[in-house]
Amino acid sequence: MEIKRSFSDNNFAPCGLICNLCYAYQRSKNNCLGCRNENPGKFKYCIKCYFKNCEQLLDTPNKICSECNKYPCSKLKTFIKRYLIKYNYNIKEKFDLANKVGIKDFLQQEYEKWVCESCKAVLCIHSKKCENCGKQRNL
């Protein structure tokens, strides 16, 4: 089995999340292929996602919220707050880093942080332990 060494640029969601870290992306049955990909297994709320469907993103180079002239809009502020409180994931900080080093390098750095030390599976942002081996994550 080949081990991936980074996340795909296509899996950097408009809202600042990395699709690979999402439970819906990782689940084995009826999984999502990521925000930028179309697939029938996607939850309705993913299809109707405010960020993915925002018309303001059409005018941005990489179709991410941090490139928008309204950044951060009120909906993104609420989303950022929710992920910071619930999952200790600072989306604003992630956008700042991606803008500073570039999306490709940002995704490489994030990949290295989100791989389980024990089994090398990609960790899920929505869980405090590795879904593959059960080891507590250190993020």
Side-chain angles (χ1 to χ4, degrees), residues 59-77:
D59 297 329
T60 65
N62 295 303
K63 311 293 185 261
I64 57 173
C65 292
S66 65
E67 297 174 336
C68 178
N69 60 6
K70 293 185 178 184
Y71 172 76
C73 67
S74 61
K75 288 199 184 263
L76 186 62
K77 284 180 186 178

Side-chain angles (χ1 to χ4, degrees), residues 35-100:
C35 295
R36 297 181 189 274
N37 297 307
E38 298 302 323
N39 69 304
K42 233 178 236 193
F43 290 118
K44 288 182 184 174
Y45 66 83
C46 292
I47 293 168
K48 294 179 181 181
C49 174
Y50 173 82
F51 305 112
K52 178 185 174 186
N53 295 304
C54 179
E55 290 187 18
Q56 299 291 321
L57 290 183
L58 297 175
D59 297 329
T60 65
N62 295 303
K63 311 293 185 261
I64 57 173
C65 292
S66 65
E67 297 174 336
C68 178
N69 60 6
K70 293 185 178 184
Y71 172 76
C73 67
S74 61
K75 288 199 184 263
L76 186 62
K77 284 180 186 178
T78 301
F79 186 74
I80 288 170
K81 184 177 179 181
R82 185 173 85 217
Y83 266 77
L84 188 57
I85 291 168
K86 241 180 145 174
Y87 306 112
N88 195 31
Y89 190 81
N90 190 329
I91 293 171
K92 171 118 177 42
E93 201 175 81
K94 303 301 180 183
F95 272 138
D96 291 346
L97 182 59
N99 289 334
K100 180 180 177 184

